[in-house]
Amino acid sequence: MSEDTIFGKIIRREIPADIIYEDELCLAFHDVNPTAPHHILLIPKKPIAKLADAEIDDQQLLGHMMLKVGEITRSLGIDDAFRVIVNNGSGAQQTVFHLHLHIIAGRSFQWPPG
Ligand code: AMP
């Protein structure tokens, strides 16, 4: 489990966010500092600090979230071209230690990523 973060405050509606999807397990909202025309963050309500901290008990939750990526991108009409990124740890530029999937679309992408 992680310490409380700004994403915990968003889940509890203590600070505002532009929420586009919510269910009992996860929440999706627009990134406040978008890196593309579409930049959505999908987070579990369970405060897992980073992907490497997920455990076997989180298997269903993580699968649920991956399926929600498809549902959310279809609802936004971006399901033909998007990128999902998980920054794990400060060395990988993670700044908020509550697991989140970046869903990015609407611009050209390079490979390999930077
Ligand atoms: P990461 O660097 O992978 O930890 O990504 C954290 C992301 O959270 C960044 O893209 C930030 O722009 C975003 N972010 C931080 N605070 C907020 C907020 N209050 N509402 C929406 N997005 C946020």
Side-chain angles (χ1 to χ4, degrees), residues 49-51 85-89 92-96 99-100 102:
K50 61 186 194 298
L51 183 59
I85 298 165
V86 178
N87 295 325
N88 184 97
Q93 306 297 323
Q94 184 176 2
T95 59
V96 179
L99 174 62
H100 49 284
H102 294 263

Side-chain angles (χ1 to χ4, degrees), residues 35-73:
T35 62
H38 294 274
H39 189 164
I40 308 301
L41 299 174
L42 176 60
I43 68 173
K45 290 187 172 175
K46 179 179 176 180
I48 301 167
K50 61 186 194 298
L51 183 59
D53 294 335
E55 299 175 333
I56 191 69
D57 287 350
D58 301 315
Q59 187 166 339
Q60 186 177 356
L61 170 62
L62 297 181
H64 178 82
M65 290 176 63
M66 294 306 283
L67 289 174
K68 289 300 163 186
V69 170
E71 191 175 311
I72 290 167
T73 56

Side-chain angles (χ1 to χ4, degrees):
M1 291 294 227
S2 67
E3 299 299 315
D4 193 26
T5 68
I6 197 158
F7 291 171
K9 292 179 171 47
I10 289 173
I11 292 167
R12 297 191 301 276
R13 305 301 203 274
E14 293 170 8
I15 63 169
D18 188 0
I19 294 170
I20 62 166
Y21 177 80
E22 179 173 23
D23 62 27
E24 71 283 9
L25 295 177
C26 63
L27 186 70
F29 50 93
H30 289 280
D31 195 295
V32 76
N33 186 23
T35 62
H38 294 274
H39 189 164
I40 308 301
L41 299 174
L42 176 60
I43 68 173
K45 290 187 172 175
K46 179 179 176 180
I48 301 167
K50 61 186 194 298
L51 183 59
D53 294 335
E55 299 175 333
I56 191 69
D57 287 350
D58 301 315
Q59 187 166 339
Q60 186 177 356
L61 170 62
L62 297 181
H64 178 82
M65 290 176 63
M66 294 306 283
L67 289 174
K68 289 300 163 186
V69 170
E71 191 175 311
I72 290 167
T73 56
R74 280 192 295 279
S75 76
L76 296 171
I78 57 171
D79 51 305
D80 59 330
F82 64 85
R83 191 168 276 177
V84 174
I85 298 165
V86 178
N87 295 325
N88 184 97
S90 53
Q93 306 297 323
Q94 184 176 2
T95 59
V96 179
F97 283 81
H98 181 125
L99 174 62
H100 49 284
L101 309 187
H102 294 263
I103 304 170
I104 294 168
R107 64 165 166 80
S108 63
F109 294 110
Q110 308 300 318
W111 194 262

